[in-house]
């Protein structure tokens, strides 16, 4: 009987040893693995440092509507806002422009009747049909070429200074009447061509966006002083 018990105990010893070994193995596998340490070579660490410094020193220009305007990106460096100014093709209000509008109104071309008041040297002193015009140069200056048809066709070429009446009420529009005065040349064609000093003065009255009424008195200092009055209407146009 004792031999049987001893035999069973002897057979149980290997099984017990196997359980002990298996338990130790499971406990070892259950231990937490220590984090792996990565060593960066010296040259790679230097490259990473330089790249970080370049990003920190970079100037960022924010672009509306993109991620470049995020606060994190804006705080990483100084901001540089640039504005592009495109040249304007429009002439400044006080600049030069052939056929531009002056403070007296639009440029125009039209017809008029001339009534002679005195003299006999040119058609300026006779009753004739005329072609008139106003060509704005600046806000205040105009050229007003005119041709008075007749036996001795006369060309008038004055440069005028244009005015504009201001209304007493600062909240109302300026008065439409626009006077002008000027000097130029009167050129008589015919048997005896002659050029003389021309003095002119008149007034423009804009009728609407297309038409301007005008009246002027002109004096040409030929051998005799010829004086005539032009009254007509012009068709407005814009600059060339």
């Amino acid at each position: 009987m004792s031999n049987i018990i001893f035999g069973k105990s002897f057979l149980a010893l290997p099984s017990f040893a196997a359980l002990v070994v298996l338990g130790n193995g499971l406990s070892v596998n259950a231990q937490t693995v220590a984090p792996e340490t990565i060593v960066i070579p010296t040259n790679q660490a230097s490259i990473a440092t330089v790249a970080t410094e370049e990003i920190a020193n970079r100037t960022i220009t924010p672009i509306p509507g993109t991620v470049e305007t995020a606060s994190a990106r804006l705080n990483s460096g100084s901001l540089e806002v640039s504005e592009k100014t495109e040249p304007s093709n429009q002439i400044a209000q006080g600049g030069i422009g052939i056929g531009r509008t002056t403070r007296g109104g639009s440029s125009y071309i039209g017809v008029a009747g001339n009534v002679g008041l005195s003299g006999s040297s040119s058609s300026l002193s006779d009753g004739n049909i005329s072609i008139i015009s106003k060509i704005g140069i600046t806000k205040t200056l105009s050229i007003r070429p005119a041709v008075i048809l007749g036996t001795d066709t006369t060309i008038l070429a004055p440069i005028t200074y244009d005015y504009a009446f201001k209304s007493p009420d600062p909240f109302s529009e300026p008065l439409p009447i626009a006077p002008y005065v000027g000097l130029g040349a009167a050129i008589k064609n015919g048997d005896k061509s002659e050029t003389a000093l021309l003095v002119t003065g008149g007034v423009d009255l804009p009728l609407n966006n297309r038409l301007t009424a005008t009246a002027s008195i002109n004096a040409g200092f030929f051998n005799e002083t010829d004086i005539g009055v032009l009254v007509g209407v012009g068709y407005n146009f814009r600059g060339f």
Side-chain angles (χ1 to χ4, degrees), residues 167-174:
S167 174
D169 186 359
F171 298 100
S172 63
E173 296 182 356

Side-chain angles (χ1 to χ4, degrees), residues 113-199:
N114 181 73
V115 178
L117 299 181
S118 67
S120 60
S121 299
S122 67
S123 57
L124 183 59
S125 60
D126 299 331
N128 297 291
I129 298 298
S130 305
I131 300 173
I132 60 173
S133 65
K134 170 195 172 183
I135 302 174
I137 301 298
T138 69
K139 185 177 180 180
T140 56
L141 296 179
S142 300
I143 301 175
R144 297 175 182 265
V147 177
I148 303 175
L149 305 176
T151 304
D152 297 321
T153 300
T154 304
I155 300 173
L156 308 181
I159 297 176
T160 62
Y161 185 85
D162 300 348
Y163 294 89
F165 286 122
K166 293 183 179 180
S167 174
D169 186 359
F171 298 100
S172 63
E173 296 182 356
L175 297 177
I177 298 176
Y180 60 87
V181 295
L183 297 172
I187 304 171
K188 180 184 71 172
N189 297 316
D191 295 337
K192 294 181 179 180
S193 298
E194 187 178 355
T195 301
L197 174 66
L198 173 68
V199 177

